[in-house]
Amino acid sequence: MIKLSRRATTAAALTVLALGGTVAATAPASAATSTTTKAAATATYNGACGTGYKVIDSTPVGNVGKVFLTWNESTGKNCAVTIRNTPGAKIHMAVELNIAVNYEHNPVVDSGQYTSYAGPVYMSARGYCAVWQGVIGTATGGDSGHCG
């Protein structure tokens, strides 16, 4: 019985040492946060729509990117582009742009396997409200508004 007790005590002690070693080797969460935390990457507009287009809105696409809506006052066109927070391996991405009207209208879409962004897509929108959506992998985001 003493041998069994010693084995159990030894096993318990080794477990405590193993856990203690892990705990000792790991910095406290508060210390790690204050010294090594980097701000999460956030997608920024990349100018893909071209000259004269200004960002008028953006909508998160899950936590992996944003879809940007831009407007060119001189041409009366909207442009949309979906941009990943961090470029990487090719993944399914899409951007869709439409106008809100009382009848059916065909959206413009760019969809495929991309490393950093989908689009740009353009639509004449003077006098209409824009509807836009972005997809990155399984994440989606979109909105409507900005009647021009």
Side-chain angles (χ1 to χ4, degrees), residues 75-120:
T75 64
K77 289 186 177 183
N78 278 118
C79 174
V81 60
T82 300
I83 303 175
R84 288 172 76 174
N85 289 344
T86 306
K90 288 184 177 182
I91 187 172
H92 173 72
M93 295 181 67
V95 61
E96 179 178 309
L97 180 61
N98 207 345
I99 56 174
V101 293
N102 292 331
Y103 57 91
E104 187 175 326
H105 194 273
N106 293 327
V108 288
V109 177
D110 179 37
S111 177
Q113 299 289 315
Y114 301 116
T115 59
S116 58
Y117 69 96

Side-chain angles (χ1 to χ4, degrees), residues 45 47-58 68-75 77-81 122 146:
Y45 177 64
C49 292
T51 305
Y53 285 88
K54 295 188 178 9
V55 174
I56 57 173
D57 209 342
S58 66
F68 291 88
L69 177 69
T70 66
W71 170 254
N72 185 316
E73 179 62 38
S74 65
T75 64
K77 289 186 177 183
N78 278 118
C79 174
V81 60
Y122 302 88
H146 300 287

Side-chain angles (χ1 to χ4, degrees), residues 112-137:
Q113 299 289 315
Y114 301 116
T115 59
S116 58
Y117 69 96
V121 293
Y122 302 88
M123 182 170 278
S124 294
R126 196 174 305 279
Y128 296 100
C129 300
V131 179
W132 64 95
Q133 179 176 339
V135 176
I136 302 172

